[in-house]
Amino acid sequence: MHHTPKLFKPENRNTFYQTGNSQEMQLVTHPGVRNDTMNIVYTETSQILATRLARALKIPLVDVKYSRFPDGEHYLVTGETGEETIIVGSVVDNNALVQLLLLIDACDSSRIHLVLPYMAYARQDKRFQPGEPLSARAVAQAIGRGVKDVYTVNIHEPEILKYFPAPAQNLSIAPDIGAYIRTLDLDNPLILAPDYGALAFAGQVASAGGWEYDHLEKTRLSGLEVRMAPRQLSAAGRPVVIVDDIISTGGTIVTAAGMLYQQGATDIYAACVHGVLTGGAYARLMGTGIRDVICSDTIERACSKVSAADRIANAIRSH
């Protein structure tokens, strides 16, 4: 039989309500916040984005305590939620998935708006051979139960939205990435997608500054040698920003950066929505001579320089 894990008491007892002999977690608020019937809870992977979203919407954050049982099972407890609750939780790994499932269940007395900034398993959106699971469908159906609606951010394949049991809307922060690139004051930058599939995303980024954009094209020169270069435009004498929805291993960008420098690019930046950055990808990218790696807070990293909070807040306000 499980016993409730012991939760550490905060140093400031004012962060708790006193109710008889028990303690209930108080709403954590910010200056200027409305006290109304909507509030926000979060998984451990989305604390920063949840805080920014609470400030953008001027609604309270409800504290959530996380711990584990001795056998490794997850446990959580939330403070008092209102009539409507926004749950912010990126699924970056299996632990985050379980936390999100538990949090949705814990808030079942509210109308739940699920903000899913990043969704692991979304790249397995079709069966490539018999016997494989449709992982994107399995995860979407699991976390979409019991919620009123779902907001995703640059989900890898928008077709996945149909798998959620609740209405789902995909938001793009490509314009916000473009707005950040504008602050770099680059002279006539070329916005490059790593392949044709990401060209539309590159176009959305480029529209923020009226810049030219293109995609990289591979040309096999021999059995061992491959050349990567912009399909139509030249990188010579200008800064280049390689953009994509996800940077995972960074392998393509590392290879492309070396070749673009050989082709005369002055500076190269890498920008994405979701900085997965597995296996030392960030260090590898910077070691190639890339000036900076820019990603958003859908996955919270040291290089998260763009926030999805305002875009999500606007979408929630419009509903």
Side-chain angles (χ1 to χ4, degrees):
M1 181 176 177
H2 283 318
H3 298 286
T4 300
K6 185 180 287 185
L7 297 172
F8 292 106
K9 296 179 182 178
E11 295 179 8
N12 181 3
R13 293 176 61 86
N14 291 331
T15 58
F16 282 79
Y17 284 129
Q18 298 295 322
T19 309
N21 295 324
S22 65
Q23 293 178 327
E24 296 177 0
M25 280 168 280
Q26 184 184 18
L27 296 178
V28 179
T29 60
H30 305 288
V33 162
R34 296 194 315 265
N35 255 336
D36 55 17
T37 59
M38 180 181 280
N39 45 46
I40 294 181
V41 297
Y42 51 88
T43 61
E44 287 184 295
T45 58
S46 294
Q47 301 172 58
I48 295 171
L49 178 54
T51 302
R52 290 170 175 166
L53 182 58
R55 287 176 174 168
L57 290 172
K58 296 188 166 121
I59 60 175
L61 264 179
V62 175
D63 198 10
V64 186
K65 297 295 184 187
Y66 292 94
S67 57
R68 294 221 190 185
F69 292 103
D71 60 4
E73 289 184 7
H74 289 274
Y75 174 84
L76 62 83
V77 58
T78 76
E80 185 179 351
T81 56
E83 292 178 14
E84 294 188 87
T85 299
I86 299 169
I87 296 179
V88 184
S90 278
V91 176
V92 298
D93 55 27
N94 296 333
N95 286 326
L97 176 58
V98 173
Q99 276 192 356
L100 184 57
L101 288 169
L102 296 181
L103 191 55
I104 291 168
D105 194 73
C107 298
D108 65 349
S109 61
S110 294
R111 287 194 303 276
I112 297 171
H113 308 276
L114 175 59
V115 175
L116 187 62
Y118 176 74
M119 178 180 162
Y121 295 98
R123 283 181 277 186
Q124 181 76 22
D125 60 330
K126 55 179 67 72
R127 288 192 173 99
F128 299 95
Q129 60 183 15
E132 286 186 341
L134 237 171
S135 304
R137 180 178 64 187
V139 171
Q141 290 181 345
I143 60 182
R145 291 191 184 98
V147 306
K148 183 177 182 291
D149 46 29
V150 180
Y151 298 89
T152 61
V153 179
N154 290 101
I155 199 163
H156 184 66
E157 177 50 65
E159 280 290 306
I160 294 168
L161 299 181
K162 69 185 180 187
Y163 296 134
F164 288 98
Q169 178 181 356
N170 187 49
L171 310 174
S172 177
I173 62 167
D176 304 279
I177 292 175
Y180 179 84
I181 292 170
R182 257 188 13 228
T183 68
L184 301 176
D185 291 326
L186 303 179
D187 182 22
N188 189 30
L190 173 62
I191 309 299
L192 266 184
D195 51 43
Y196 177 76
L199 184 61
F201 178 79
Q204 291 177 355
V205 173
S207 66
W211 304 307
E212 291 185 313
Y213 66 99
D214 200 353
H215 71 89
L216 285 165
E217 189 172 62
K218 291 182 182 178
T219 304
R220 183 161 293 281
L221 303 178
S222 68
L224 297 175
E225 190 179 1
V226 174
R227 179 177 181 268
M228 295 179 72
R231 187 172 190 275
Q232 295 180 316
L233 304 173
S234 173
R238 63 196 302 192
V240 173
V241 185
I242 304 174
V243 300
D244 205 354
D245 62 336
I246 300 172
I247 297 179
S248 185
T249 64
T252 298
I253 296 176
V254 165
T255 302
M259 294 185 178
L260 289 167
Y261 275 129
Q262 291 175 7
Q263 294 161 26
T266 56
D267 287 305
I268 298 174
Y269 297 78
C272 69
V273 176
H274 312 296
V276 177
L277 303 177
T278 59
Y282 179 85
R284 193 178 308 114
L285 287 163
M286 297 299 285
T288 309
I290 286 176
R291 285 288 302 273
D292 202 4
V293 177
I294 301 152
C295 36
S296 82
D297 53 6
T298 57
I299 301 176
E300 294 173 356
R301 305 287 192 203
C303 53
S304 297
K305 295 167 183 176
V306 178
S307 181
D310 286 341
R311 189 73 51 178
I312 297 167
N314 290 337
I316 291 172
R317 283 193 203 100
S318 68
H319 273 212

